[in-house]
Amino acid sequence: MTDLELGLRDVAAHLDFPPTPALLGGVVARLDRRRHRRRGLALAVAIGVAALAVAFAVPASRASLLRFFHVRGATVSVIDGLPPLTSHRSLGQPIPLDTAAFRLLLPSGRRPESVHAADGGYWLRYPGLLLFEFQSGGGPEVLKKATLGKTKVEYVQVRGEPGIWIGGRHALYLPGGPPVAAGRALIWQHGPLTLRLEAAVGLERALAIAQSVR
Amino acid sequence: MQPPGEEMLVERACRGDPAAFEELVLAYQSLAFRTAFVIAGDAADAEEAAQDGFVKAHRALRRFRRGQPFRPWLLAIVANEARNRRRSRGRRAALALRAAAEPGGAGNDPEEAALAAERRERILTAVERLRDDDRDVLACRYLLELSEDETAAALGIARGTVKSRTHRALSRLEEELR
């Protein structure tokens, strides 16, 4: 090997590549969409929104799809225009904590103010924090979210499992309902469950809360 | 580096096992992204190219010849995506690599370290001034440390061409450094 080749190898050893983005979520989301399209899933129609439909839920603006993020049971579509959103979100009557179909995870083990069974999962209400938990093993997606290109969306890890941080206003699509306005949220997988935390906190605090669930 | 049990993973992925393909994505996402980055010269383009490359590779699995190495086959798809993006931008992308800061650890001669850093910068700048095909072959062979076969696959050229082009690119780089 010549000096020049050794020099190039030395350069290679000192290169500062940009960090590799987490590609798996985007790849899986796109492959899932292809599978769903091929099967023509009636179920997808039944829950009202297929992933692409989220992007085209705004006939007036014809929002175009910029990017996808995906964790099990949830997809975030980054689009360039949000549909009209409602802020009303009725969670229905509270239920006792211990009547849920699976053991609910609680931040720092704290009991919530109220628990509501709705939207294919359970809503746990705390002061300044709303947690949604659902079982997401292989079924159709329960959560679909659309956000503007300018909103920060990124993959994160919570205790080694994949998650998505949405750093601003976005549309939340739940089965059979209209798009609802939502604020900062963290979605992550935890064993067989997928959780969504919404609170007016930054990423660091959201991760700390997510890591405390037990 | 080949992930353990790659042949089995590829076999399972070809039979339609999504978990096996996901493991291949995880194993190769860094190499795919870096390959796309040195060709496209832009992190956002590289991310798209790598993601598109994996999706296209998944579609093409039925055509993958069993027993062949998976890595060069994947790199060929990803590199093609990256070249398409570079072409569509209509201008030559800068390599956009920076030499990492050298920590001045104990035992390091600061003057020597500064000279080495300067030399790396000079080489990188000179590589950047080369024409695209020269730069690509050097980036694949020396910066990504791909084999000749992998470089041939990634650049869509014959192995013999990799050898001759590398030789030519090194000569031109030497001239740039004079």
Side-chain angles (χ1 to χ4, degrees), chain A residues 105-111 126 205 208-209 211-214:
Chain A
L105 296 168
L106 310 177
S108 305
R110 283 192 303 122
R111 294 177 71 85
Y126 290 89
R205 178 70 188 128
I209 296 169
Q211 279 158 3
S212 78
V213 301
R214 55 180 190 254

Side-chain angles (χ1 to χ4, degrees), chain A residues 81-95:
Chain A
L82 287 178
L85 303 175
T86 169
S87 58
H88 177 68
R89 190 187 305 170
S90 170
L91 299 179
Q93 287 300 309
I95 61 163

Side-chain angles (χ1 to χ4, degrees), chain A residues 131-151:
Chain A
L131 191 63
F132 181 59
E133 303 184 14
F134 61 98
Q135 282 181 318
S136 50
E141 284 170 353
V142 174
L143 285 180
K144 290 180 191 295
K145 289 159 165 278
T147 181
L148 292 174
K150 65 189 177 192
T151 302

Side-chain angles (χ1 to χ4, degrees), chain B residues 43-58:
Chain B
D45 281 349
E47 181 176 353
E48 280 181 18
Q51 195 177 103
D52 285 353
F54 279 117
V55 172
K56 288 188 176 170
H58 185 268

Side-chain angles (χ1 to χ4, degrees), chain B residues 29-76:
Chain B
Q29 63 180 0
S30 179
L31 179 65
F33 173 73
R34 287 178 171 212
T35 302
F37 180 72
V38 297
I39 293 173
D42 176 87
D45 281 349
E47 181 176 353
E48 280 181 18
Q51 195 177 103
D52 285 353
F54 279 117
V55 172
K56 288 188 176 170
H58 185 268
R59 283 182 206 160
L61 275 176
R62 274 174 298 171
R63 297 196 300 275
F64 179 74
R65 281 163 49 202
R66 311 283 169 94
Q68 292 292 304
F70 180 76
R71 188 171 129 137
W73 181 78
L74 173 70
L75 288 180

